[in-house]
Amino acid sequence: MNSHPMLPRSRRCFPSKPRRLVLAVAFVSSLTPTALAANWPGWRGPNGDGTTKTARNLPETWGSTQNIKWKQEMPAWSGSSPVVWGDRIFLNTPTKEEAQPPPAVVASSANTRKRAGPRGLSMQGPGGQDILLLCLSRSTGKELWRKPYDRGNEIKMKQNMSSPTPVTDGKLVWVTSGNGIVACFDFNGNEKWKFDIPKNYGKIGVQFGYGSSPVLVGDKLIFQMLQGMYTDDPSYLFALRTTDGKPLWRVERPTDAVHESPDSYSTPAILEIGGKKQIVIGGGDYITGHDPETGQELWRGGGMNPEKSRNYRVIASPVASNGMIFVPTRVTPFIAFRAGGKGDITTSHFAWKWTDKGAPDVPTPVSDGKLLYMADDQGAFTCVDAKTGKLIYGPEQTGIGRTSASPVLADGKIYLTSENTETAVVEAGPKFRLIAKNTLDGSYTLSTPAFADSEIFLRTGTHLYCISK
C-alpha cells in the first residue's frame, strides 16, 4: 500500500554498481515490515481496531478542491469501507441503479428518505442488483477491474446488500455480500472460489441484513452469524480456509436473548493474550472469546442487557486493546473487561461500566491503550480512562451531525465522518480540541475511511476520494 520513499540525495556522487546493488537490496529489505504494517487490509485497518501507527503527515483540512489528490465516481452507495494494499484499493459495491422508482412510488413511501439517505439524492434506491468487488489504482483512482459475485440487492433500514468490508492478505482478497455469498479473487480479478452461507448453514435470520465483515487469522477467514429475529436457528460462527473456501469448523454460540436482541451487525475483534490470538464476538446479550483454531468458546461475559429488553441488537463492534476488552451494546451499558479470563468472566474480570451520556450505538470506539474515545450517533466525543472508565471529557460536540462511520486514530488525531460527509478532526489526548471540520459532497455516507501513509481514502455516497496534502 505504501509508495516507495526516495533515498535522500545529500551528495551528487553515486556508489559503484556492486555497492549500489547491495544498498538497493538492503533498502528493499528494510521496507518490508513497514510496507506490511502500512497496508489497510480490512475493517478498521491493520489491527482491526481503528488505529494505525504508520500513517503520518495526514491532512487536517480539505474540501472539494483542497487537498484532493483524486476522486473516482462509485457505481452506487454502500456502507462498506475501502481496503488498501500496495497500489490496489478494493471496494464492495452494488452496480449502478438500473432504474429509479417512479416519483409517485417514492412520494408514497413515508420512510424512503429516512432509510435511503438524509437528502434522498441518488440513494432513494439500493443501487443495482449485481454486487461487485471493485479494484482501483491507488495512484490514480482509475478502475482496474470489477467482478460481480452475487445478485440481489435491497435496502434494509440504513444499509444495502454490500455492507461487509473486504479483507486481503496482499495476494488474495475476500468479499462478502449481505445475502451471505463469500467470494475469493486474486489481485488480477480471477475468481478462486465462492461459498454460499445460506445454502450451507441455513437462511440468515438477522432483521436488517447481514452486515458483519470477515476477519483474517492466519489461513482462516472467520465469520460470525448472530441472529434470531427472523429465525429459530441458533447463532454460530465458522471458519473457511482462505485458499479454497473449505469449511474448517462451525460452532454454535448459545444465547438466552429474545426477539431482536440476538441480532448483531458487529465484526469480530482479535485479542492477543499470552502470545495466542482469540476471536472476540459481541452481541446476543454477551461478549465471548473463542479459539481461532477450533471455534471453541474460551470465556463469556454478561451484563450487556440487564433488563433483558427485546430490542437490544448490537451494531458497534467490540474493541480489544492493551489487555482490555470494550463492549458496546445498544448505547448503554457500555462495559469493559480485563483480558485473560476463562469461563464466566462477568464478575471475575469486570473492569468498569458506563451508563451516562456519550456511549455509542453505531460507531465503534477507538483506544490508544490509555484513553478510550467514544463517538455517539450525533458525532459527539466522550473520552474516558481505558483502565478505569473515569471521565476525561465529554460529551463534546463536533457539530457534524448524525454519524454511522467509526472513529479512526491516526497521526495523533481522531477522524470521524458523518452521514453527510462532514469529517471532524479531533486532537488525540486528554483535552478536547476540534482541529477542523471538513465537508465534501454532502451525499449519504456510512463508510469508515481508510488510512495509508499520508493519504486518507474516504468513500461517500457518490465517490471515493484520495485526500492528501
Side-chain angles (χ1 to χ4, degrees):
M1 167 185 73
N2 68 314
S3 56
H4 297 297
M6 293 187 67
L7 286 168
R9 287 192 178 186
S10 57
R11 300 179 180 177
R12 300 188 67 82
C13 58
F14 297 89
S16 60
K17 288 184 179 180
R19 177 172 165 75
R20 222 183 292 177
L21 179 60
V22 171
L23 287 175
V25 172
F27 175 64
V28 171
S29 298
S30 70
L31 280 178
T32 303
T34 303
L36 291 175
N39 293 308
W40 194 269
W43 163 239
R44 303 200 77 211
N47 308 308
D49 62 2
T51 69
T52 173
K53 294 183 178 179
T54 59
R56 292 287 188 271
N57 197 30
L58 292 168
E60 297 176 348
T61 59
W62 60 82
S64 58
T65 59
Q66 177 196 8
N67 287 337
I68 303 298
K69 182 177 178 180
W70 52 257
K71 71 175 185 177
Q72 177 68 25
E73 186 175 1
M74 293 287 95
W77 62 278
S78 174
S80 177
S81 298
V83 301
V84 186
W85 193 289
D87 190 41
R88 302 293 178 96
I89 301 172
F90 300 99
L91 301 112
N92 198 8
T93 183
T95 47
K96 188 175 181 179
E97 189 88 21
E98 284 93 348
Q100 292 291 338
V105 174
V106 174
S108 66
S109 177
N111 61 356
T112 296
R113 286 181 179 271
K114 181 179 178 182
R115 290 169 57 196
R119 300 175 187 172
L121 301 176
S122 60
M123 280 66 77
Q124 287 183 340
Q129 287 304 299
D130 284 336
I131 311 296
L132 311 171
L133 178 64
L134 197 65
C135 179
L136 307 182
S137 163
R138 175 183 165 182
S139 303
T140 65
K142 300 300 182 184
E143 184 177 318
L144 300 178
W145 49 261
R146 61 172 62 194
K147 298 293 178 177
Y149 69 94
D150 190 21
R151 183 165 176 81
N153 186 27
E154 60 181 322
I155 295 174
K156 292 281 193 176
M157 187 56 76
K158 280 189 172 185
Q159 63 182 351
N160 58 26
M161 296 296 99
S162 67
S163 288
T165 295
V167 64
T168 180
D169 65 353
K171 297 179 181 179
L172 299 173
V173 57
W174 301 270
V175 64
T176 308
S177 74
N179 301 312
I181 301 299
V182 185
C184 173
F185 295 87
D186 65 21
F187 271 35
N188 293 319
N190 299 306
E191 184 179 304
K192 295 299 183 181
W193 55 262
K194 193 177 286 187
F195 185 86
D196 188 323
I197 298 174
K199 181 177 179 180
N200 285 273
Y201 297 140
K203 180 182 177 181
I204 296 173
V206 184
Q207 182 176 12
F208 296 121
Y210 187 66
S212 302
S213 301
V215 170
L216 180 64
V217 181
D219 64 347
K220 300 175 184 63
L221 277 179
I222 295 172
F223 301 79
Q224 68 173 52
M225 185 63 70
L226 272 56
Q227 58 181 1
M229 181 64 180
Y230 290 151
T231 184
D232 292 327
D233 291 341
S235 295
Y236 59 93
L237 54 153
F238 67 98
L240 302 179
R241 190 159 61 193
T242 56
T243 52
D244 58 10
K246 177 183 177 181
L248 298 175
W249 51 257
R250 176 185 178 275
V251 297
E252 292 186 4
R253 185 182 184 270
T255 181
D256 54 3
V258 297
H259 197 59
E260 187 190 7
S261 295
D263 289 358
S264 176
Y265 306 90
S266 67
T267 290
I270 300 298
L271 168 68
E272 190 160 334
I273 190 89
K276 294 185 177 181
K277 292 182 178 180
Q278 297 178 2
I279 309 158
V280 181
I281 306 288
D285 293 357
Y286 294 94
I287 185 79
T288 55
H290 301 260
D291 182 349
E293 295 302 316
T294 64
Q296 175 190 0
E297 185 175 306
L298 304 173
W299 51 263
R300 171 177 290 238
M304 275 85 259
N305 184 4
E307 302 300 323
K308 285 299 175 185
S309 299
R310 291 164 55 85
N311 64 342
Y312 252 54
R313 84 293 178 273
V314 171
I315 299 174
S317 299
V319 176
S321 175
N322 195 27
M324 298 293 292
I325 303 163
F326 305 107
V327 190
T329 64
R330 187 164 187 172
V331 186
T332 58
F334 184 98
I335 300 180
F337 293 96
R338 296 183 301 276
K342 294 182 180 179
D344 187 350
I345 67 167
T346 305
T347 301
S348 64
H349 284 68
F350 172 83
W352 53 266
K353 178 167 60 176
W354 187 263
T355 57
D356 208 344
K357 294 180 181 179
D361 182 19
V362 179
T364 297
V366 67
S367 177
D368 60 7
K370 295 181 179 180
L371 299 176
L372 175 78
Y373 304 92
M374 298 183 286
D376 70 14
D377 288 21
Q378 298 303 320
F381 271 95
T382 297
C383 176
V384 301
D385 183 285
K387 296 291 186 181
T388 67
K390 178 184 176 182
L391 177 66
I392 305 300
Y393 68 71
E396 296 285 353
Q397 301 298 322
T398 60
I400 63 173
R402 191 164 185 83
T403 302
S404 288
S406 298
V408 174
L409 178 58
D411 196 22
K413 297 175 282 287
I414 308 164
Y415 294 80
L416 180 68
T417 301
S418 74
E419 290 185 5
N420 65 349
T421 73
E422 285 189 299
T423 300
V425 184
V426 173
E427 183 177 288
K431 292 185 178 180
F432 177 80
R433 184 170 79 90
L434 179 62
I435 297 171
K437 189 168 67 171
N438 306 296
T439 303
L440 281 174
D441 54 39
S443 62
Y444 182 47
T445 297
L446 302 174
S447 178
T448 297
F451 293 72
D453 299 316
S454 60
E455 297 175 334
I456 303 170
F457 299 90
L458 201 164
R459 180 180 191 167
T460 74
T462 58
H463 290 80
L464 178 70
Y465 292 81
C466 177
I467 303 170
S468 180
K469 290 184 179 178

